[in-house]
Amino acid sequence: MSYLFLLAFLNFLSPPHDIAMAVFAVTLEENTLRLQVQLDRGDIEKAVNLPTENDNSTKVIQEYVMNHAIWIINNEPTEFNFITIRKDDEFYYLEAEPINFTTPFNTIDIHNTCLIEEVDKHSNVIYIKQKDKKVRGFRMNKKRVDISVAL
């Protein structure tokens, strides 16, 4: 059920493509972190130089995202394993395997250059949803590829 909520959340927060952007939705529930990513299909396929029909596309896109987005949670580097990657005519949707932490969430530090060099005026938008708190959003672009968030 939370998967459907997050997909609806991602779709609701996505403006038309006149703005080049990728959306990274982070959900923090108790000691579990969930990440979903929405990438414009044309932008990511161009960035990774992906042929139109490529059976290896999900692996290439996953590697690209992992190499261009560094996540440090509670001062610990965190790597995501994407368990679902699907596409439609406009977007790629990636969902990472939930990560459980033994301590409460205190900080998230992100270095994110996904599509920033490859797509003119591109932005990465990070949404952080915590239980009982307002959703917070952060825009990253060429001038701002690093953010630190106290939770």
Side-chain angles (χ1 to χ4, degrees), residues 29-87:
E29 298 172 341
E30 304 205 10
N31 288 352
T32 302
L33 184 144
R34 299 180 190 281
L35 172 67
Q36 290 187 316
V37 181
Q38 178 180 305
L39 305 166
D40 179 86
R41 184 172 173 176
D43 293 345
I44 188 66
E45 288 177 353
K46 178 182 173 188
V48 298
N49 206 9
L50 195 64
T52 307
E53 292 302 319
N54 184 338
D55 293 336
N56 203 25
S57 64
T58 57
K59 182 179 180 186
V60 171
I61 290 169
Q62 176 173 324
E63 287 176 0
Y64 176 89
V65 172
M66 289 174 37
N67 290 333
H68 289 84
I70 299 169
W71 299 77
I72 300 173
I73 315 296
N74 292 344
N75 298 316
E76 295 291 327
T78 304
E79 287 193 22
F80 292 97
N81 176 34
F82 291 101
I83 54 174
T84 303
I85 300 177
R86 66 178 184 80
K87 64 183 175 182

Side-chain angles (χ1 to χ4, degrees), residues 26 69-73 108-112 126 128 140 145-149:
V26 176
I70 299 169
W71 299 77
I72 300 173
I73 315 296
I108 295 180
D109 298 296
I110 305 168
H111 175 81
N112 190 331
I126 313 296
I128 300 176
M140 303 176 83
V145 295
D146 296 295
I147 61 169
S148 291
V149 181

